[in-house]
Amino acid sequence: MADRDPHDLLIVGGGINGCAIAREAALNGWSVLLVERDDLAQHTSSASTKLIHGGLRYLEYYDFRLVAHALRERERLVRAAPHLIRPMRFVLPHTHAVRPWWLVRAGLLLYDRLGGRSTLARSRGLGPVDAAYRAPLKDGRRGFVYSDAYVDDARLTLLNAVDAAANGAEVATRTAVESARREGGLWAARLSDGRDVRAKALVNAAGPWVAELLGRLGVNAGASVRLVKGSHIVVPQLYEGDHAYILQQPDRRIVFALPYEGGTEIGTTDVPVDRPEDAVIDAGEIAYLCEAANRHFTRQVGPADVTSTWSGVRPLYDDGASEAREVTRDYVLELDLTGPALLSVFGGKITTARHLAEEAVGKLAPALGRKIGRVTRDRVFPGGDIGEFDRYLGEVRTRWPFLGQVRSERMTRAYGSMLGDLLAGVEDEADMGEAFGAGLTEVEARWMRTREWARSVEDALERRSKLGLHLTPAERGRFAEWWDATPLPG
């Protein structure tokens, strides 16, 4: 079957950049088709450190433009998704320091100011009131405290897609581009679902596969991509509290430690790789991250303590830096106008995806003869119209007291104001349907399937939620039986 009318955009790639571009374009009234051969955020966009941040360490490489953009975007995102993104305090111990105290303090003062006015608390030195911050450390006598934010990266990617679809975009997961060519002033593509589609412009947001797609299209890119693997481990809780640590290392890298699903996340690494498929942690990375934490924390960990891991391959723009840790995290958008427009995305980071999308649509607009507006700068994400989070959480607990303390906070974080739709008609626990464990019930699982493009058990338990970390093997098996027996939405 063939689409009669061409789309304005065919976007290849359902990571954060592709979904953000789909949202930006759809809100500008463009017709958009986004295709992703796997699940949304299945690869790099669900394998980050889970931070919305300006990138304090990028100041060391004089990347002031990137840091300023990222800090402005951090402020927008905290306001746009208060359910999903929450401010977090970061403790930077001045031990094992390879940078002088005055230089770190100067960097933090600059970090406070580069992004303009912010609702997040400014940096300061560790003081007498910071016993809770110092307690887990071997040496907490000197250091600093500053602010950034935490995010569920996979769900932020999802919310971009949800908003795009709500404004007319078609999002097709498990759908690959089998071929695409310029034909008659349009892009003509054959999809793996059997459709032949046409589009006025094609966006290559394939992440680590950006160069591979260009090769299949027969296009020579001016920019190139550098593949760098970043891995994380989770260990039993190293400290109490909802703050994070940023730990200096002898090799001049920094490693984060932050609360994660009842444990402590430690990451990341920077390992050059040859293929996107190399996103698998190795023993050397596990040992490196354990040693990085052990230099600073009283509680010591080893490879045997690791409860879970994840790795992603970052498709960084190749700026010629000699070491992987020095490669810029900024993005480059390459526009090819030798025929119907082709925009390729190199690099980028979750924090700046909205800004990237706005710039991408701006680059494409003249080629499509379209006008655009600044449609996402002050727009909340789906579920984000809740005001102050703690107040809204109190309302949720009053309205649905049977959810309990833990489940009510988890679901409010995940769905925000959409929780009212998810729980429409639910008056008690019995109305939630079958309980699979860890607070997951049938009503939530159906929402994931019908509203969030979840097509597999892994989609539901690893990206729409992190409940797979908390289910027993028997509970997971029962959930898989239910999932397989329940028809997918048409």
Side-chain angles (χ1 to χ4, degrees):
M1 52 185 175
D3 283 8
R4 292 185 178 181
D5 298 318
H7 297 277
D8 290 317
L9 288 189
L10 170 60
I11 301 172
V12 183
I16 187 64
N17 291 333
C19 290
I21 293 171
R23 177 184 185 233
E24 191 80 29
L27 285 165
N28 269 287
W30 297 14
S31 58
V32 176
L33 170 60
L34 181 148
V35 296
E36 163 56 52
R37 68 182 181 185
D38 297 311
D39 183 28
L40 299 175
Q42 183 164 333
H43 301 289
T44 308
S45 295
S46 61
S48 76
T49 310
K50 324 299 183 192
L51 299 181
I52 297 295
H53 65 135
L56 178 63
R57 71 181 184 85
Y58 308 149
L59 294 177
E60 191 168 26
Y61 304 108
Y62 308 106
D63 211 339
F64 303 124
R65 174 184 171 275
L66 172 61
V67 175
H69 278 167
L71 287 171
R72 287 193 290 270
E73 290 303 306
R74 182 192 69 182
E75 184 68 15
R76 284 195 178 101
L77 290 168
V78 168
R79 293 197 309 265
H83 57 314
L84 198 64
I85 299 170
R86 59 184 183 273
M88 180 175 278
R89 291 297 263 170
F90 287 73
V91 180
L92 199 171
H94 197 65
T95 51
H96 300 286
V98 293
R99 302 160 184 87
W101 185 95
W102 67 265
L103 182 63
V104 178
R105 187 70 190 107
L108 286 169
L109 290 172
L110 181 60
Y111 197 69
D112 286 338
R113 287 160 174 75
L114 272 177
R117 296 184 64 181
S118 173
T119 55
L120 274 64
R122 290 184 177 273
S123 64
R124 59 173 176 79
L126 277 174
V129 298
D130 295 319
Y133 292 164
R134 300 170 184 270
L137 300 171
K138 290 181 176 178
D139 183 356
R141 289 174 296 173
R142 301 184 74 196
F144 310 91
V145 185
Y146 72 98
S147 296
D148 268 319
Y150 177 86
V151 67
D152 182 328
D153 49 8
R155 288 202 66 84
L156 181 62
T157 303
L158 172 70
L159 290 187
N160 276 274
V162 168
D163 209 11
N167 288 277
E170 179 187 350
V171 177
T173 63
R174 265 60 179 204
T175 304
V177 173
E178 294 185 338
S179 64
R181 64 187 184 280
R182 286 167 162 142
E183 179 181 275
L186 297 169
W187 282 98
R190 166 58 65 93
L191 306 182
S192 60
D193 63 6
R195 282 189 290 171
D196 292 311
V197 300
R198 298 180 300 158
K200 298 174 185 175
L202 189 149
V203 175
N204 176 4
W209 291 273
V210 60
E212 177 187 310
L213 180 58
L214 285 172
R216 290 169 52 202
L217 298 175
V219 175
N220 294 318
S224 59
V225 69
R226 190 162 174 178
L227 303 180
V228 177
K229 178 177 60 167
S231 296
H232 300 75
I233 62 174
V234 179
V235 298
Q237 193 176 56
L238 293 177
Y239 62 92
E240 304 287 338
D242 57 3
H243 56 283
Y245 290 86
I246 175 172
L247 310 172
Q248 299 187 71
Q249 302 300 321
D251 59 3
R252 300 193 67 83
R253 296 190 68 260
I254 57 95
V255 169
F256 290 100
L258 57 152
Y260 185 77
E261 298 295 321
T264 299
E265 168 196 339
I266 305 169
T268 182
T269 58
D270 286 304
V271 179
V273 294
D274 296 323
R275 307 177 309 138
E277 293 77 16
D278 293 332
V280 180
I281 195 169
D282 61 44
E285 289 177 286
I286 293 174
Y288 174 88
L289 293 173
C290 289
E291 291 167 5
N294 289 341
R295 286 189 182 96
H296 291 269
F297 289 110
T298 302
R299 296 181 186 176
Q300 301 286 282
V301 294
D305 298 305
V306 174
T307 58
S308 62
T309 69
W310 66 86
S311 300
V313 172
R314 301 185 288 266
L316 305 180
Y317 167 66
D318 192 351
D319 60 355
S322 59
E323 294 188 45
R325 66 182 174 89
E326 298 174 350
V327 181
T328 181
R329 267 53 175 177
D330 210 347
Y331 59 82
V332 169
L333 303 177
E334 186 171 280
L335 183 61
D336 181 335
L337 294 175
T338 56
L342 168 64
L343 183 79
S344 297
V345 180
F346 296 85
K349 58 200 295 281
I350 283 178
T351 306
T352 55
R354 191 217 62 84
H355 186 274
L356 179 154
E358 185 177 271
E359 186 177 337
V361 171
K363 279 181 171 288
L364 287 165
L368 273 62
R370 302 294 294 266
K371 294 182 178 181
I372 61 168
R374 296 173 175 177
V375 292
T376 58
R377 290 192 178 186
D378 299 309
R379 181 179 177 83
V380 299
F381 280 99
D385 52 339
I386 62 172
E388 199 272 323
F389 178 80
D390 288 338
R391 180 198 58 77
Y392 184 73
L393 177 59
E395 294 176 3
V396 167
R397 286 171 171 166
T398 299
R399 173 66 182 85
W400 297 286
F402 56 86
L403 292 177
Q405 296 292 108
V406 173
R407 182 168 53 170
S408 61
E409 180 168 359
R410 177 186 68 78
M411 294 184 73
T412 303
R413 287 283 179 203
Y415 304 106
S417 61
M418 293 185 291
L419 196 57
D421 292 331
L422 192 158
L423 297 178
V426 173
E427 298 298 332
D428 54 30
E429 186 65 35
D431 291 337
M432 299 288 283
E434 182 175 351
F436 301 108
L440 176 62
T441 61
E442 189 174 343
V443 70
E444 185 177 5
R446 289 188 182 278
W447 177 275
M448 294 174 183
R449 292 173 73 104
T450 59
R451 301 290 192 95
E452 297 183 348
W453 299 281
R455 294 294 178 266
S456 73
V457 169
E458 289 72 24
D459 295 353
L461 298 184
E462 297 176 10
R463 286 175 289 279
R464 304 306 181 273
S465 74
K466 299 297 183 286
L467 293 172
L469 295 171
H470 306 290
L471 294 177
T472 67
E475 290 169 338
R476 189 182 181 107
R478 171 54 199 147
F479 180 70
E481 290 176 358
W482 175 88
W483 189 273
D484 291 343
T486 304
L488 289 168

